[in-house]
Amino acid sequence: MAHKFDAIVVGAGPAGNAAAYTLAAGGCKVLQIERGEYPGSKNVQGAILYSDALERIIPDFRDDAPLERHIIEQRLWVLDDESFVGSHYRSDNFNKPPHNRYTIIRAQFDKWFSQRVQQAGALLICETTVSDLILDRGRVIGVQTDRLGGSVYADVVILADGVNSMLARKAGFRPELRPAEVALAVKEIHFLPQEVLESRFNVSGDAGVVIEMMGKITKGMMGTGFLYTNKESLTIGVGCVLSDFKKQKCSPNQLLEEMKAHPAIAPLLEGGEMKEYAAHLIPEGGYNAIPKIHGDGWLVAGDAGMFVNSVHREGSNLAMTSGRIAAETVLALAAAGKPYTARNLARYREQLDASFVMKDLKKYRNMPEVLHRNPQFFTTYPELINSAAHTMLRVDGVDKKTKEKEIRSSFTARRSLFGLVGDAYKMWRAFE
Amino acid sequence: MSSAKVEEKLFQNRYRVDAGRPHIGIKNPEICASSCTTQHCTVCCPAGCYTLEGNGRVVLITDGCLECGTCRIICEEHRNVAWEYPRGGYGILFKFG
């Protein structure tokens, strides 16, 4: 094996694969290093695949990518202990190809993506952990791996090594993550006979349903739960900001167990066989927490760059897009015969700023802070909304006007009129 | 309930354990036993890798580790967790992810 490459990509998740594919397709001699036994074996996601970001890299991905179900129905549930108030949006429009988003199983999907990367000409080595970056006078010139004689050199290194971003941190390019900047998510996969799953969720063929949940299931912590339908399995999980887990001294496993036992959720899982339990951190610090993403000889893509839009539950599409743009930046400099200096690589940041990645993150820049400071959005409101629905729908001889009054006074008693107006304003500002 | 349960769950997972070479370590056990009053790692680790002994000491067994990074990040007051990824090919091997 030659020890000098045009580019090295660390990691074979969505960001690393997007970067390595784009580089290889652009004629670059690229080495990709993955620590897992195979690409995907270390990777965890919900998982929803948004077609657009992948289509811009591999337009014909639908031909052979392992996709579970295209989503035709989105449910949003606000839960208290016994009940939920929810909205469903289902449209037959989502049944018409090309489909907009799919559930996927990452171990299978990442393996497929990686095969495409290798077909494009990238060299992949697995079962190899990159332990450090090799620097020469502040410039990244290669990586140190845990293989025998494990130094490999390249003109530029793309760090797509995931949320923990070990390499950039060890090199002193960024500080340690803070508990308020990451969410800890735990999830399980439950297998069910396909016909049971389809009748339970009212779908057929390859159509599927996603349920996003908030409220008492997170015990006042800032976070959400989710349930996704795969072909023959369900993914159920819950994620909350790590500083809240810490503050509440809450066991993530216990939280998931209690959520699974909720009277509205348990029947959906009934009879399923649990086959894997996973945990993962999600970088949810938003725009204000984005670290330095480029320097002399290096670029950061995907979760390592904090590119997750937690409001819209988008991450892998931001990862793929940032990986692609990082690679395009490298290709453009190579074509112009320019060196990979921090100054020249700043073009990466400019291109990202001009894309939906930074625009969306910027739009919601204050959201993490607003939600941190206002836990009532995860506790008081779900309770009030559920009890209001209960009051209105229960037929018990009390007239509707009296019921309305009861509901109004329950809201003002719990949050006061100023509190309610203030909360509405904060939410409007954060979404604006 | 939770600790027994999490062990049952981890039993479903696939691992290749790097015997005798744990990838995470407690830097100084004395800090956990005497300076740390909260011992959040014993509650927040999703795989229950950290257990609290009767004498106030924290014991770490990394075999069931899901490689998330939680323990390193929550130990922000003491920075007492030496955290690395396992050697290439070792550790959790997600079948589904």
Side-chain angles (χ1 to χ4, degrees):
Chain A
M1 184 174 85
H3 285 279
K4 176 75 194 284
F5 292 83
D6 295 337
I8 292 173
V9 176
V10 183
N17 282 336
Y21 183 92
T22 307
L23 286 170
C28 202
K29 190 177 155 203
V30 51
L31 172 70
Q32 189 181 24
I33 307 175
E34 161 61 40
R35 66 189 184 88
E37 183 182 48
Y38 53 84
S41 67
K42 296 291 184 182
N43 306 347
V44 178
Q45 191 194 337
I48 304 290
L49 171 76
Y50 300 96
S51 305
D52 179 72
L54 181 56
E55 233 163 6
R56 286 169 196 265
I57 300 162
I58 304 181
D60 64 349
F61 78 91
R62 291 180 181 87
D63 291 351
D64 55 359
L67 307 168
E68 292 290 309
R69 291 179 180 274
H70 63 269
I71 309 304
I72 62 158
E73 180 175 329
Q74 160 97 46
R75 304 179 187 173
L76 177 66
W77 289 2
V78 180
L79 301 100
D80 72 0
D81 290 326
E82 290 91 33
S83 43
F84 74 85
V85 171
S87 69
H88 292 197
Y89 180 69
R90 179 179 173 120
S91 173
D92 200 42
N93 254 322
F94 288 131
N95 260 323
K96 297 188 184 104
H99 301 121
N100 183 258
R101 56 192 174 140
Y102 301 87
T103 48
I104 53 169
I105 290 176
R106 279 288 301 272
Q108 294 160 13
F109 177 82
D110 289 6
K111 218 187 247 178
W112 166 84
F113 199 168
S114 175
Q115 280 160 4
R116 287 297 196 100
V117 171
Q118 292 170 74
Q119 283 162 14
L123 175 65
L124 169 75
I125 54 166
C126 290
E127 300 195 310
T128 304
T129 302
V130 175
S131 47
D132 284 290
L133 297 174
I134 302 173
L135 282 98
D136 178 31
R137 281 161 290 166
R139 191 183 132 68
V140 171
I141 56 164
V143 300
Q144 186 64 44
T145 75
D146 63 355
R147 289 216 171 182
L148 211 57
S151 309
V152 200
Y153 298 90
D155 295 328
V156 63
V157 178
I158 296 180
L159 305 172
D161 54 341
V163 56
N164 281 294
S165 191
M166 296 293 283
L167 297 173
R169 198 153 40 71
K170 281 195 204 170
F173 297 157
R174 60 169 297 166
E176 175 62 286
L177 292 154
R178 292 181 302 113
E181 292 171 343
V182 288
L184 169 60
V186 286
K187 67 163 213 170
E188 295 174 10
I189 189 164
H190 292 242
F191 280 77
L192 281 169
Q194 191 170 334
E195 59 279 11
V196 172
L197 187 150
E198 289 178 356
S199 70
R200 197 171 282 179
F201 288 88
N202 189 23
V203 288
S204 58
D206 289 328
V209 174
V210 301
I211 311 178
E212 306 283 355
M213 300 174 242
M214 60 174 291
K216 291 292 285 293
I217 47 164
T218 61
K219 300 184 176 192
M221 299 188 286
M222 170 180 159
T224 52
F226 59 90
L227 195 161
Y228 301 151
T229 58
N230 303 317
K231 197 152 276 176
E232 297 180 295
S233 61
L234 301 173
T235 303
I236 178 145
V238 60
C240 298
V241 66
L242 191 54
S243 50
D244 280 356
F245 271 116
K246 193 176 168 182
K247 196 162 67 190
Q248 301 227 1
K249 294 188 168 56
C250 178
S251 148
N253 178 49
Q254 183 72 27
L255 186 72
L256 180 56
E257 286 306 300
E258 287 175 28
M259 174 180 150
K260 280 160 54 192
H262 189 283
I265 299 169
L268 297 174
L269 301 172
E270 177 83 36
E273 194 190 343
M274 199 281 268
K275 292 209 174 162
E276 190 170 80
Y277 169 67
H280 196 62
L281 294 177
I282 306 167
E284 293 199 346
Y287 188 81
N288 297 330
I290 293 171
K292 205 173 157 215
I293 54 169
H294 68 91
D296 282 322
W298 60 276
L299 294 164
V300 170
D303 277 5
M306 276 261 170
F307 303 136
V308 166
N309 177 347
S310 58
V311 177
H312 286 263
R313 323 301 308 154
E314 292 177 29
S316 61
N317 53 332
L318 281 70
M320 287 182 200
T321 303
S322 61
R324 171 176 61 81
I325 293 176
E328 287 169 353
T329 305
V330 167
L331 291 173
L333 291 178
K338 290 184 181 166
Y340 304 117
T341 58
R343 196 191 170 126
N344 287 339
L345 289 172
R347 183 195 162 105
Y348 171 51
R349 173 78 199 215
E350 286 158 22
Q351 299 286 318
L352 268 186
D353 281 342
S355 76
F356 82 94
V357 173
M358 290 296 192
K359 283 183 183 167
D360 284 354
L361 287 171
K362 206 166 181 180
K363 172 171 160 61
Y364 298 117
R365 65 193 306 165
N366 295 320
M367 189 61 97
E369 190 61 23
V370 168
L371 294 177
H372 274 300
R373 287 176 186 276
N374 298 279
Q376 67 271 18
F377 291 118
F378 296 93
T379 50
T380 313
Y381 284 109
E383 279 184 317
L384 286 171
I385 291 164
N386 276 280
S387 105
H390 191 80
T391 304
M392 264 338 253
L393 296 173
R394 190 184 162 94
V395 177
D396 52 9
V398 178
D399 67 278
K400 301 298 184 256
K401 199 161 185 176
T402 306
K403 280 174 183 275
E404 277 174 13
K405 225 167 125 186
E406 205 180 295
I407 291 167
R408 249 196 322 270
S409 60
S410 77
F411 271 72
T412 46
R414 291 287 296 278
R415 275 305 287 163
S416 86
L417 200 54
F418 283 116
L420 292 170
V421 173
D423 288 344
Y425 178 72
K426 282 177 225 162
M427 265 302 164
W428 172 69
R429 287 285 299 171
F431 271 103
E432 193 200 15
Chain B
M1 160 186 168
S2 86
S3 66
K5 264 254 158 77
V6 82
E7 277 156 28
E8 279 167 41
K9 288 186 184 183
L10 298 176
F11 193 67
Q12 296 294 326
N13 292 355
R14 204 177 139 229
Y15 293 93
R16 190 191 295 160
V17 176
D18 198 357
R21 289 184 64 161
H23 61 285
I24 305 174
I26 294 173
K27 290 181 191 166
N28 178 0
E30 283 310 312
I31 290 177
C32 308
S34 45
S35 315
C36 181
T37 53
T38 50
Q39 292 157 335
H40 286 115
C41 55
T42 62
V43 179
C44 296
C45 168
C49 291
Y50 293 80
T51 45
L52 189 58
E53 300 276 283
N55 56 9
R57 304 190 80 85
V58 175
V59 173
L60 164 63
I61 297 171
T62 57
D63 293 5
C65 178
L66 299 164
E67 299 169 26
C68 67
T70 294
C71 57
R72 186 190 77 247
I73 295 170
I74 55 167
C75 192
E76 57 186 331
E77 292 86 357
H78 303 288
R79 295 258 177 263
N80 199 29
V81 179
W83 201 96
E84 293 283 344
Y85 283 121
R87 279 196 295 162
Y90 288 95
I92 181 76
L93 295 168
F94 288 114
K95 297 169 285 183
F96 308 102

